[in-house]
Each structure stands twice: as C-alpha cells, then as structure tokens.
Amino acid sequence: MTIQASRSLRLAALSALALSLAACSAADRLKNVGKAPDLTPIENPAMRNEVQTVSLPMPQPETVSYKPNSLWRSGARGFFKDQRAATVGDILTVQIEITDKAEIDNTTERTRSNSEDAGLDNLFGYAQNLDRLLPDEVSNTDLVGLDSTSRSRGAGTVDREEKVNLTVAAIVTQILPNGNLVIQGKQEVRVNFEVRELLVAGVIRPEDISNQNTIKHTQIAEARISYGGRGQITDVQQPRYGQQVFDILMPF
C-alpha cells in the first residue's frame, strides 16, 4: 500500500467518524427541538466519569496513643466536635471569587542582509578554455555572487480581564491518608432554554474550612473549576461541526 493510499484511507476514516458523530449529535438535538435542555439527574458524585481517585505523596501514618487522664490524642486536629465537613458524604460551601487581569504587549523586529562573492582567477590553468565556453562579459574574478536579505516582524497584544463570583456546595468524596479531603461539586441552573453548569473539584485541608463550613477556591489544591453552559445560545455561539472538522483536517 502506498503512502498516498494510506493517507487517503486515514482521511476517509476520520471523515466517516466525524460524520457519524455529527449525525448522533444532530439526532439528539432534533429530539430537543422546542423544549428546554434536560437537567442531569442527581447521582453519586463519586461515580461520575470525571471523578478520579486522587493519589498524592503522604507522610508516614502516626500511631494513635492515649495518655492516662488526658482528653487529647496524638494527631488530633480539634478538641470540640463541630458541624464542619469531615467525613465522606459531608457537604461544604465553596466560595469562588476570581478576578484576573493580564496585559501583554510584545513586538519583535529582525533584519539581516548577507552578501558573498567568490572568484577563480586561473581556474587550475583552464581559464583560456573557459573563455571559449562563456560570453565575453564573464570575469574569472567574479564567477559566483550570492546576495540574500531577510526581514521579519512580529507583534502580539494580550488584554484579558476575567471576573467570576460564584458559590457552590461540594461533597467530600474521599479522605486521604494524611487527613486531607477530596471534594467534588456540581451545580446546574436552567434559565430560558439555557443550562449553566458549574463544576469544582480538588483537595482541601480540614483546617482551612471556616466555622461556617465554607472554604475559598484559593485554598483548594489541584483545583479544577469549570463554568460553562449548554443550550440554544451556546449552540449558536459554536462553529458548525463541518467547519470544525474542516479546520482540523485542512493543513492551510
């Protein structure tokens, strides 16, 4: 099989896959014509596809020991029992306040000019024979001349400003050996045929949970925060599937 035939088969397979995916998506969208998008049913957060078991470096476990006539134990994090999230299935509130702003302005300009001349005066004694082959205007001292000029200029500007202020409840899905908690939260709001989704996940320390059972997103390690939507407005804002496939496959 030639290389051209192999490329053609690959292109045909990719096109068939893209068409099948587009057909499935189109069928799903046709079923929802005239009605609002369905909300995702409530399910066990630990069983979702995006949830992964977290494995991080852990310290050596401490042996719990009690001293006579003492209310404290080794490794204890608190004295009185409170209502803050501490075990799997507990709920806590995550406060998301993101205010980012970035301004970058770069300009690069490069210019280079080269010139090379090479000549052979006697040409190993064959200069007279060379005159018979070449026109009279050709000079042995200036047989080869190379000139090159290159210039490149690039400019880029980034002006970005983001502000997100949200609150979402999350569930403790896992307790790590060192006592840190893995949390996962999802919130869906449907307004006028548009569903807004908010996802948050990460690892937190029980000490960072406030006495009101809240925690800030800046205190979440390995934080994964996603805020988006699906529905009629989101569908209009996205390029068509054919255009996306065309942009991926076309090299120019």
Side-chain angles (χ1 to χ4, degrees):
M1 181 180 294
T2 63
I3 298 177
Q4 186 66 26
S6 177
R7 292 179 178 177
S8 300
L9 290 177
R10 293 180 181 177
L11 181 60
L14 291 175
S15 301
L17 178 60
L19 290 176
S20 62
L21 293 176
C24 295
S25 178
D28 295 337
R29 291 167 57 193
L30 288 175
K31 293 190 299 183
N32 294 326
V33 171
K35 68 175 184 178
D38 296 331
L39 295 178
T40 304
I42 298 176
E43 57 184 4
N44 185 355
M47 301 302 295
R48 294 174 184 160
N49 295 330
E50 62 268 18
V51 176
Q52 297 181 356
T53 301
V54 178
S55 178
L56 298 175
M58 294 292 129
Q60 293 295 332
E62 297 181 4
T63 303
V64 179
S65 60
Y66 295 91
K67 296 182 179 180
N69 301 325
S70 176
L71 298 177
W72 296 96
R73 63 178 176 84
S74 60
R77 294 177 180 265
F79 184 73
F80 297 103
K81 177 66 176 178
D82 55 30
Q83 300 300 318
R84 292 181 295 182
T87 60
V88 174
D90 289 350
I91 298 176
L92 74 160
T93 302
V94 180
Q95 297 175 343
I96 303 173
E97 297 180 1
I98 300 176
T99 303
D100 293 338
K101 185 176 182 180
E103 293 183 4
I104 301 175
D105 190 358
N106 293 328
T107 302
T108 302
E109 186 171 357
R110 177 182 177 183
T111 303
R112 183 173 67 178
S113 178
N114 299 321
S115 178
E116 298 289 343
D117 295 324
L120 297 175
D121 294 341
N122 296 322
L123 196 61
F124 304 106
Y126 293 96
Q128 296 180 353
N129 295 331
L130 185 64
D131 292 338
R132 300 174 185 176
L133 300 177
L134 299 177
D136 296 336
E137 292 80 3
V138 176
S139 175
N140 293 339
T141 60
D142 191 16
L143 287 177
V144 180
L146 298 176
D147 294 321
S148 65
T149 301
S150 63
R151 182 177 181 181
S152 62
R153 182 177 182 181
T157 302
V158 175
D159 188 357
R160 177 179 59 85
E161 184 174 359
E162 298 175 351
K163 186 174 182 180
V164 179
N165 191 347
L166 299 169
T167 303
V168 61
I171 299 177
V172 178
T173 59
Q174 184 182 352
I175 300 178
L176 299 179
N178 65 344
N180 290 340
L181 309 178
V182 180
I183 62 172
Q184 173 80 20
K186 181 176 182 180
Q187 183 185 87
E188 294 185 2
V189 180
R190 184 176 65 192
V191 179
N192 295 335
F193 293 86
E194 185 75 10
V195 174
R196 286 296 173 186
E197 296 177 334
L198 174 60
L199 302 176
V200 60
V203 181
I204 65 173
R205 298 191 312 165
E207 296 91 339
D208 293 332
I209 303 176
S210 68
N211 55 2
Q212 297 180 349
N213 199 32
T214 62
I215 192 170
K216 297 181 179 179
H217 78 280
T218 54
Q219 297 172 308
I220 302 177
E222 296 296 320
R224 301 294 185 268
I225 301 174
S226 174
Y227 180 67
R230 51 187 171 89
Q232 295 180 355
I233 298 177
T234 304
D235 182 64
V236 173
Q237 292 176 341
Q238 297 297 323
R240 310 307 300 170
Y241 293 106
Q243 181 179 351
Q244 296 182 29
V245 174
F246 184 81
D247 293 338
I248 295 174
L249 298 180
M250 290 302 296
F252 307 105

